[in-house]
Each structure stands twice: as C-alpha cells, then as structure tokens.
Amino acid sequence: MRLLLVEDDRSLAEVTRRGLTSEGHVVDLARDGREGCLKAVHGDYDVVILDIMLPLMNGYDILKQMRAEQVWTPVLMLTAKDGEWDQADAFDLGADDYLTKPFSFVVLNARLRALARRGVTERPAQLTAKGLVLDPATHLVKRGDVSIDLTPREFNLLAYLMQQKGAVVTKAQILDGVWGSEHDGDPNVVEVYVGYLRKKIDAPFGENTIQTVRGVGYRLAMD
C-alpha cells in the first residue's frame, strides 16, 4: 500500500515509517498539519494515518478539509488522545478507524489491510431515504421538518445503512463497517442499536425504514 503518515514526533514517525516499510508499504511522511493536509488532499494514497495534535493545523481540521474537498481516502487516526469524545469527534468528521498510542504494529497492519480492502467509498454531502435526510458534515438527521437526535453510534449506523440503501447487509458487515476493529464482543449489539434507531426514526412517524431480512440481516428501504 501507499501510505501517508502525518506525525510531528520525529522519532515516532521514523520508527513507524521503518516498521511499515518493512511490511512492504511505501510511506510518505508529513511532519506538520499544513504539509499533511496538502499531501492528503492532492496525493494518491491507499490510507492516510493521521495524528490529531499537530503543529500549524490539527488532525481534525485536516480531516474536515479532506472531506470538504471530496477526498474519500480512508483515514486512520493514530493518536495519544484516548477519550471517547475524541473518538466520536473523529468518526463524526469522517475518520474510518481510530488507534491510540502506544500501539502494536501487528494491530496497525491489520487495520490498514482492513481499510484497504474496503477501498475508497464516495460519500455524498447528504444521504436520503424515505423522507429521511442525513447530513454527515453537520451531523444532523431529519424526517421532513422534524430533527432527530442520535448518539454518535446511532448516527454512524444509520449512515452506513443509508449508504447501502436497498441492499441486504449482514450483522458481520455492519460490525465491520460501523464498529470496525474496535469491537470484539457480541454481534447482537447490532440488533440492539437497530432497535434504538427504529424507536427514533420510524416509530414516531409510523414508518418501517429499517427492514429485517430473516436469517440474513437488515435492509434500508428504498424511496
């Protein structure tokens, strides 16, 4: 893979670059936010590995700029910030995965391979289905003129289902697409969160947007 590593700690950047290069990857380095943003927006990479705390421009702003420029390269946040709100902010802004320092190269490589397998998925400014409108940039969901308040996980689950609108997706696919490698527990968590979503986006409006396909998974109804 061709990777961009945006990291201002020189020793960590070099160690990480050598480790990734030894796995056969081609790694470009950027040592501050402005350089990283320029390369991320205009370069051709399989995955961008992005720190949050950077000089000149932080990782969140780089991520926002990438998505605003409609650059959909998968982004893995690699950072010492391990708070749940930090992770929620990153995912809400368009990150694809999140790994905290210190990290294992085995885990890092596994996550990079998973992101590369997914490839680049174009994400339109707004997603729509059966009267629902989801705006990734503003993190707003509406049905008609009524705003719907979702948690970050509920929002990401709905966004994933809307991206797959009309297609049947399994619990395993949803876990991979929404929870990623951070989840290693009961796959029935998908069923629980689908229930949460139905109570917010369907029940108050008499709709059946998220349909159960018995023995297979779920499907978001077409318009």
Side-chain angles (χ1 to χ4, degrees):
M1 287 180 282
R2 186 171 180 223
L3 308 172
L4 172 62
L5 173 63
V6 188
E7 172 62 64
D8 63 316
D9 184 317
R10 288 183 175 273
S11 60
L12 178 59
E14 187 56 31
V15 168
T16 305
R17 186 194 66 78
R18 286 202 304 266
L20 293 172
T21 301
S22 70
E23 294 292 327
H25 306 305
V26 176
V27 183
D28 284 353
L29 283 179
R31 302 189 187 279
D32 64 61
R34 286 182 188 167
E35 180 188 7
C37 187
L38 186 66
K39 288 184 174 180
V41 170
H42 298 289
D44 182 18
Y45 299 101
D46 295 296
V47 181
V48 174
I49 305 167
L50 185 59
D51 193 7
I52 293 176
M53 302 302 293
L54 294 163
L56 304 181
M57 187 176 187
N58 69 47
Y60 291 140
D61 288 337
I62 294 173
L63 188 53
K64 282 192 283 189
Q65 185 66 32
M66 289 176 65
R67 300 320 187 209
E69 297 278 351
Q70 298 190 3
V71 176
W72 310 117
T73 307
V75 172
L76 184 149
M77 308 301 287
L78 184 61
T79 175
K81 293 173 72 66
D82 60 357
E84 60 182 19
W85 290 110
D86 299 314
Q87 297 187 41
D89 287 342
F91 285 121
D92 289 345
L93 290 171
D96 298 273
D97 204 350
Y98 196 105
L99 184 61
T100 55
K101 304 171 185 175
F103 60 90
S104 158
F105 270 105
V106 173
V107 174
L108 176 60
N109 268 297
R111 294 191 176 193
L112 291 173
R113 289 194 298 269
L115 289 176
R117 283 196 299 272
R118 292 185 212 169
V120 177
T121 302
E122 187 170 332
R123 307 168 201 184
Q126 290 188 337
L127 300 170
T128 61
K130 290 199 71 178
L132 275 175
V133 177
L134 181 148
D135 189 333
T138 60
H139 205 260
L140 294 177
V141 176
K142 288 186 174 184
R143 186 181 282 282
D145 295 327
V146 180
S147 296
I148 302 172
D149 186 29
L150 301 181
T151 67
R153 186 71 74 190
E154 291 166 352
F155 182 90
N156 290 337
L157 173 57
L158 180 59
Y160 178 82
L161 292 173
M162 292 179 80
Q163 288 166 356
Q164 312 296 325
K165 182 171 62 175
V168 179
V169 288
T170 65
K171 287 183 181 179
Q173 288 173 313
I174 294 172
L175 281 174
D176 185 52
V178 179
W179 276 261
S181 51
E182 67 185 81
H183 179 78
D184 57 1
D186 188 349
N188 287 326
V189 69
V190 173
E191 187 175 332
V192 172
Y193 273 86
V194 167
Y196 293 158
L197 268 183
R198 283 172 167 159
K199 289 178 181 177
K200 292 184 177 182
I201 69 169
D202 280 346
F205 305 95
E207 295 285 352
N208 182 28
T209 310
I210 304 177
Q211 302 170 346
T212 299
V213 181
R214 293 194 178 277
V216 183
Y218 299 96
R219 175 177 53 217
L220 197 89
M222 297 288 285
D223 295 329

